Amino acid sequence: MVSVATWRGSCAAAFARVTSASLGPYQTAAIRIGLSFTWLFFLVREWFNSQELYGPDAPWSWELARRLIADNHAFTVLVWSGAGWWFKLVYLFAMVSALLFMLGWRTRTTSVLYMIGVLSLQNRSVFVGDGGDNVLHLMAIYTVFTRCGEVWSLDARRAARRGAAARRGAAGRGAEGRSAAARGAAGDPRRDVTGIVLWAVCGAGLLAATLLADPALTWTDHGPVPGVGWAAALWAVWLLHGVWWLVRVRGAALAGGQVRAVLAAFGHLLHNAALLVIMGEVCLIYGAAGWYKIQGSLWQDGTALYYPLHLDYFSPWPALSHALAASGVVVLLLSYGTVAAQAAFPFTLLNRRVKNVLLVLMMFEHLGIAVLLGLPFFSLVMIFVDAVFLPTSWLRRGGELVAGRARWVAERVPVGVPGQRGVGGADADAGANAGTGAASDAGPDPGRGPGRDRVRAG
């Protein structure tokens, strides 16, 4: 029997773990990059059809959208105006916010802007999307609460460079220099002009939306959570960003730094709670899909996949679909395998090896759906959502492989004025070598060394 002291110690260790660090930095970064890329890819692909999908020319007209929003109280800025210029502005806003979020530029702010873009377009024409759009819709809300820019982002790159520069500047200056280096690694928020301007612009836009939007943003109902309206939620996020900036400026003077420590612990806890919700959502999706399929007679007799393989709407490669459907054994194995994998997925999390094998099988299944049924965006969404369960070692190796290939390409891109080597000859080579030596003598490369390792470790 477990003693009370052991139980208390385990609870204290678990609490310290979820409040001292943001877990799964690589997994949340993969979700951020993958889902924002998928959404951006979809928006670019449908640029010429956007008017018919979400704009003034859509079969689901602007008036019908207004009536539906008045009934279900979904959030979309597209019902504020039926003008064509407003639709184009919102569509471009969604594309830009998705690109910035994918690159990891000011992820705390761009995550909110990305969410607004996703919700605005999807809630404008609710009958256009599929299951992948529903998942993308939910994940756009969840990622607002995560620290998904700690790795593989411009934010992480900027923090690493700033930390490396601070360490180089503090070298040889003793304890005072190391203290200055620590402050420099964290960055001086008072010099973050871009962040201050971005915060002010977002505040001005939110103020205009609160005062002028029709239908108006609510404060106490019809929001992201019961009892909290969209106006209260967005203003709370905006004010928390300002409070965090103020605490970073005056952190040492506020209760000896305890206020900053408490806010940092709250941020870690919020991130880890959102990560747990994402994992639970994925398990719920697969578990519900699997158990509902079990109740269907076509899935029970193993013929369910035969019918979608013969639908013209879901047959981009008819010859391939018909060849697979011609074999009863293949259809039977694919039908039963799909049900077994989805129904068993939540339980495989208890065993790491079984979970990893099933994850690979599920990703191949989604690739098959993309090719056979012509649903590439749905498949991409599910593949990147599945990444929340991938091992960190796999994701780090994948990131290193992509970074290595990017460096390989960059090294082969010609730099400089054409013909410069022929003019300078040996003198040009000597100058290049001298420049390399001077750079190496100046200190460690900001992109390498401890700064890079620290970011990679999350």
Side-chain angles (χ1 to χ4, degrees):
M1 184 175 180
V2 180
S3 64
V4 176
T6 303
W7 183 79
R8 287 180 178 176
S10 300
C11 292
F15 179 78
R17 178 172 174 78
V18 298
T19 57
S20 61
S22 297
L23 305 177
Y26 290 91
Q27 286 78 5
T28 52
I31 291 176
R32 184 199 86 234
I33 296 172
L35 295 185
S36 57
F37 167 77
T38 303
W39 178 240
L40 178 61
F41 185 21
F42 173 78
L43 294 180
V44 172
R45 179 182 180 272
E46 300 297 341
W47 170 261
F48 296 104
N49 303 318
S50 59
Q51 295 279 357
E52 289 76 20
L53 289 175
Y54 306 110
D57 299 334
W60 189 253
S61 67
W62 184 75
E63 286 296 335
L64 288 175
R66 292 266 297 187
R67 292 170 60 183
L68 180 62
I69 295 302
D71 182 56
N72 63 11
H73 306 287
F75 176 81
T76 173
V77 303
L78 283 177
V79 297
W80 294 352
S81 174
W85 66 267
W86 176 248
F87 166 74
K88 286 295 184 183
L89 182 63
V90 174
Y91 199 88
L92 289 173
F93 168 82
M95 294 175 64
V96 173
S97 61
L99 176 62
L100 295 178
F101 189 52
M102 180 182 68
L103 297 176
W105 184 81
R106 308 283 174 174
T107 50
R108 285 177 176 154
T109 301
T110 53
S111 64
V112 180
L113 302 180
Y114 165 76
M115 177 195 69
I116 293 174
V118 171
L119 299 187
S120 295
L121 291 176
Q122 289 190 353
N123 289 334
R124 164 62 176 84
S125 298
V126 295
F127 300 107
V128 171
D130 54 19
D133 293 282
N134 295 335
V135 176
L136 188 70
H137 186 114
L138 293 172
M139 295 301 162
I141 300 175
Y142 298 155
T143 50
V144 172
F145 302 97
T146 64
R147 292 180 169 181
C148 53
E150 289 193 341
V151 297
W152 297 341
S153 66
L154 295 179
D155 290 347
R157 183 183 182 186
R158 183 174 63 253
R161 287 184 171 182
R162 189 165 51 216
R167 282 190 295 271
R168 288 199 305 269
R173 294 208 300 258
E176 182 179 355
R178 287 191 294 271
S179 178
R183 293 194 299 271
D188 188 353
R190 288 169 293 191
R191 297 182 179 180
D192 186 11
V193 179
T194 303
I196 296 173
V197 171
L198 182 62
W199 183 78
V201 170
C202 290
L206 184 56
L207 179 62
T210 304
L211 298 177
L212 305 176
D214 180 28
L217 297 177
T218 58
W219 289 90
T220 58
D221 56 357
H222 309 312
V225 294
V228 178
W230 279 105
L234 294 176
W235 276 112
V237 172
W238 184 80
L239 289 174
L240 281 175
H241 282 73
V243 169
W244 178 243
W245 178 87
L246 182 62
V247 169
R248 291 176 63 197
V249 173
R250 305 288 298 172
L254 297 175
Q258 293 300 315
V259 174
R260 178 167 183 170
V262 170
L263 288 179
F266 178 75
H268 292 311
L269 184 62
L270 195 63
H271 166 94
N272 294 326
L275 182 61
L276 181 62
V277 170
I278 292 174
M279 297 169 69
E281 187 73 37
V282 177
C283 291
L284 181 63
I285 291 172
Y286 283 128
W291 288 103
Y292 271 110
K293 285 182 175 66
I294 289 177
Q295 303 174 40
S297 59
L298 296 180
W299 291 98
Q300 291 176 5
D301 58 29
T303 61
L305 291 182
Y306 174 85
Y307 301 98
L309 290 175
H310 283 81
L311 293 176
D312 294 336
Y313 187 77
F314 293 105
S315 298
W317 311 98
L320 179 59
S321 299
H322 293 167
L324 288 176
S327 173
V329 175
V330 172
V331 172
L332 178 69
L333 293 177
L334 290 177
S335 300
Y336 281 177
T338 299
V339 174
Q342 292 182 350
F345 181 81
F347 304 101
T348 61
L349 301 181
L350 301 176
N351 187 290
R352 180 176 300 179
R353 293 183 178 178
V354 176
K355 180 260 296 182
N356 292 340
V357 172
L358 189 58
L359 271 178
V360 175
L361 293 178
M362 297 291 283
M363 290 183 176
F364 276 107
E365 176 189 351
H366 290 304
L367 289 176
I369 292 174
V371 175
L372 294 176
L373 301 182
L375 298 172
F377 297 107
F378 166 79
S379 299
L380 282 176
V381 168
M382 295 309 302
I383 287 173
F384 287 120
V385 168
D386 289 345
V388 72
F389 293 107
L390 288 177
T392 301
S393 59
W394 291 14
L395 293 172
R396 291 186 65 174
R397 290 194 193 102
E400 291 171 357
L401 179 62
V402 172
R405 298 303 298 177
R407 286 194 297 269
W408 182 85
V409 173
E411 289 172 356
R412 283 155 180 78
V413 173
V415 179
V417 181
Q420 184 174 358
R421 285 180 59 89
V423 175
D427 294 337
D429 292 337
N433 293 334
T436 305
S440 62
D441 293 339
D445 185 357
R448 302 180 180 273
R452 185 184 179 198
D453 294 338
R454 178 179 61 81
V455 174
R456 287 166 122 193

